[in-house]
Amino acid sequence: MDESPKKELAVRRNTSSHLHRKEETPSWHLGAPVDIFFRSSPCRIVVVNAQELDHPIIYVNLIFEQVTGYRADEVLGRNCRFLQYQGSFAKTRYPLVDIRILTEICRCLSEGFDFEGERLNFRKGGSPLMNRLYIKPICNDEGIITHFLGVQSFKEANFDLSPLRGLVWKKSSGAIHTHILGDMYSQKPLFVHRDCSFKKCCPLYKVSDEVLVVNILARLTPRDVTSLGSVCHRFYNLTKDESLWKLVCQNIWGQETFSILESVARRRRLWWGKIVRELTTLEAAAWRKLTVGGSVEPSCINFSVCAVGSKVVLFGGEGVNMQPVNDTFVLDLNEDCPEWTHINVNSAPPGRWGHTLSGLSDSRLVVFGGCGRNGLLNDAFVLDLDEPQPTWREVSCSTRPLPRSWHSSCILDGTKLIVSGGCTDSGALLSDTFLLDLTMEKPVWKEINVSWRPPSRLGHTLSVLGNHKILMYGGLATSGPLRLRSSDVYIMDLSEEETRWKYVTGSMLPGGVSTCNSAPPPRLDHAAVSLPGGRVVVFGGSIAGSRLETKVYILDPMEEKPTWRILYVQGRQPKYASGHSTCLVGGTRVVVLGGHHTEDWMLTELHELCLINLKGTD
Amino acid sequence: MAEDPTAAMAKECKVRLKISDDTIFEVEYAVAMQSQMLKNALSDTGTDGTVPLHNISSEIMAKVVEYCAYHVNAANTISEKDVKIWDQEFLKDLDQATLFNLIMATQYMVIHNLQDLICQTVADRIKDKSAEEVREIFNIQNDLTPEEEEEIRHENQWAFEEEGWPEIQEEVRLEG
């Protein structure tokens, strides 16, 4: 084969004489196995660009045009999957196309292996072709995959295309199933060729893979799906199907979590099976240190942060001379070299510290309360980061909750701000809960009336569980004449008609000692993060006796008897973590800003608790 | 109160379905409309002809019609709780083969509520079961060699651990 770089497409002249190129010809070196295909019957050749989104076709040969009926100009720039659609107007692939083969193709493409197998394709007119496909990755001189070469030989497919006639499993005679029995995470897949000889007495075999996956398996929990892998070959292969894991994630953790994880998965080319596993077991949780550029100046403490997509947004704080500031800074963690950028906003809210900053849906965020220049505040401002000129806009309401600082807040459904507790001007602690629905034209603060309230407190956390439950934990709570650190957990279900706070665990007396050894010591100003599935992770904060709190704790409120457990996390933990300077980015990384009050004023050394392994196909 | 003329006509219209052994099922229009596929087909061809459904047997068709007929009537008249009870009764005596044939039939005829009901039932039967139990339930033959089984079990170890809390405990060191 022709191996010199920058030459024309290196194929044997007798298979193709017609070149359609969308871009510059890549330089590459073809390996030996590909020769076998070239020597056999005329074959179709497809080249796709591996570095562009969705792998667009950049070259097809004349045989491809002749066999499939698609002209080159019709297919250049598209992904090859259109070959699985019956007829040029179909929007989804034909049900008999084997999902496992597709999954295996995706896997080989991501990991840079050659793929060889058979696949059902359709001509432009709709008639079927059984496609023997060989895909090889092509690397540039640095070993980075730049293109994929697909060589396809075909034979006519002789089977009935009418839906569900008899056994759906019947394929064209002579087809060999390529079962891949290999650890998804290891580097060496094991190819095992078997004939299909399925027992006809089992009615399950009548159901196609797609129906089985979408309708039945997708309703199971991750553990159930995984344990099905031990049943038989078919089930094992189905549990390797990425589309199954996506559906499982959507079903158990909801569409919002799924969308957040999807952008992370796509960007870092992560496997869904692995994501779901790691978020279930948290086995890959690790502390990492992150150095970023830029700086937050003038430096301040007691600011608040929240996550908006992949960005960390910082607002307010207490600057020099203990004066409140009102700057807005953004740090985009998706950039190669993230750095703090000051945003020039229109009409910034009055400066404040001890406020809450929370992320809404669609790149917006809301700030509430805090201590300003002239006392405590109870105003709310919303900022839309996607605007060309971001502008803070006050939410004008006739009646507002009492002005407060060191309260806690959370966002329900991406649109409703919930605020609870805090400290008033007079120094009294609050125990109320208010809801502000920001979808309304004229939002109105509504107090959530309950028959019984937990003791008033500040420095506690509110976490959202699913769509309609909130969990309150810790804080400095009133206990008679005293104020003591609390370890109590309360949950409220906002979908109930009579909303009430339910005590979950802790000690009924704030500051008391719990009998369970793995329970976290009482604390305030800690970080609390909601994980998919309704679990809560807690760490940091201030605990009694000025000991440094180092452990990470996890609680599953859905258990029958919810119990705190210690989560063992690899890596070095930051010495100090505070609730309002911690946020969960992209559903997978908990970013902790700033060290102790007296350290790291510049905020360039961050810690992050990575919940899953973000290294992609390592 | 005067009835909507199309509704009256619909009640009278019968749709003819020809199934695998060439017998004809006559169902009411409203019942047939529970199937999206029939709805689309009939909107093109009208109700005069016969719709061929070659891949569905008569006993499966009978079950489908039974379900759809009940749900058409129940739509506005029977409470949700009672409908659920009826659904459970409907499922009670169905064997494996019928269940799966029904899944395929509802997939073809696009009857979402019945398909959801049956698939949820099957999923519930698989929940929290070991591989051996699943094989027994569905009469699946184990075609894995002992080595493969061992390899798979090792790979999926996390699914069998209690609560999945990692067994490896790393020391958490203080920074600095």
Side-chain angles (χ1 to χ4, degrees), chain A residues 194 206 230-231 240 565, chain B residues 55 104 135 148 155 165:
Chain A
R194 285 180 203 275
K206 291 190 179 179
S230 301
V231 169
K240 296 300 183 193
R565 288 182 171 82
Chain B
N55 39 1
M104 305 222 309
R135 280 187 219 124
E148 286 168 346
E155 178 190 327
W165 307 121

Side-chain angles (χ1 to χ4, degrees), chain A residues 163 181 194 202 204 206 215 219 223-224 226 230-233 236 240 277 281 289 550 565 573, chain B residues 55 100 104 107-108 115-116 119-120 128 135 138-139 143 148 155-156 158 163 165 172 174-175:
Chain A
L181 194 73
R194 285 180 203 275
C202 171
L204 194 51
K206 291 190 179 179
N215 293 313
R219 295 168 192 259
R223 275 181 217 288
D224 283 328
T226 307
S230 301
V231 169
C232 63
H233 273 116
Y236 177 79
K240 296 300 183 193
R277 168 179 167 165
T281 61
K289 235 178 159 176
T550 60
R565 288 182 171 82
Q573 190 166 349
Chain B
N55 39 1
F100 288 111
M104 305 222 309
Q107 172 81 357
Y108 180 59
Q115 187 178 43
D116 275 342
C119 290
Q120 187 60 52
D128 289 332
R135 280 187 219 124
F138 295 125
N139 202 18
D143 57 352
E148 286 168 346
E155 178 190 327
N156 293 337
W158 68 275
E163 291 297 313
W165 307 121
V172 176
L174 269 184
E175 179 208 12

Side-chain angles (χ1 to χ4, degrees), chain A residues 280-298:
Chain A
T280 305
T281 61
L282 296 176
E283 64 200 46
W287 284 107
R288 296 222 297 244
K289 235 178 159 176
L290 185 64
T291 308
V292 299
S295 59
V296 174
E297 284 184 281

Side-chain angles (χ1 to χ4, degrees), chain A residues 437-459:
Chain A
D437 187 346
L438 289 164
T439 55
M440 294 167 49
E441 276 267 350
K442 302 209 167 177
V444 168
W445 281 104
K446 243 182 49 177
E447 179 161 12
I448 298 179
N449 290 314
V450 287
S451 45
W452 174 83
R453 296 174 178 190
S456 55
R457 60 195 66 213
L458 61 80

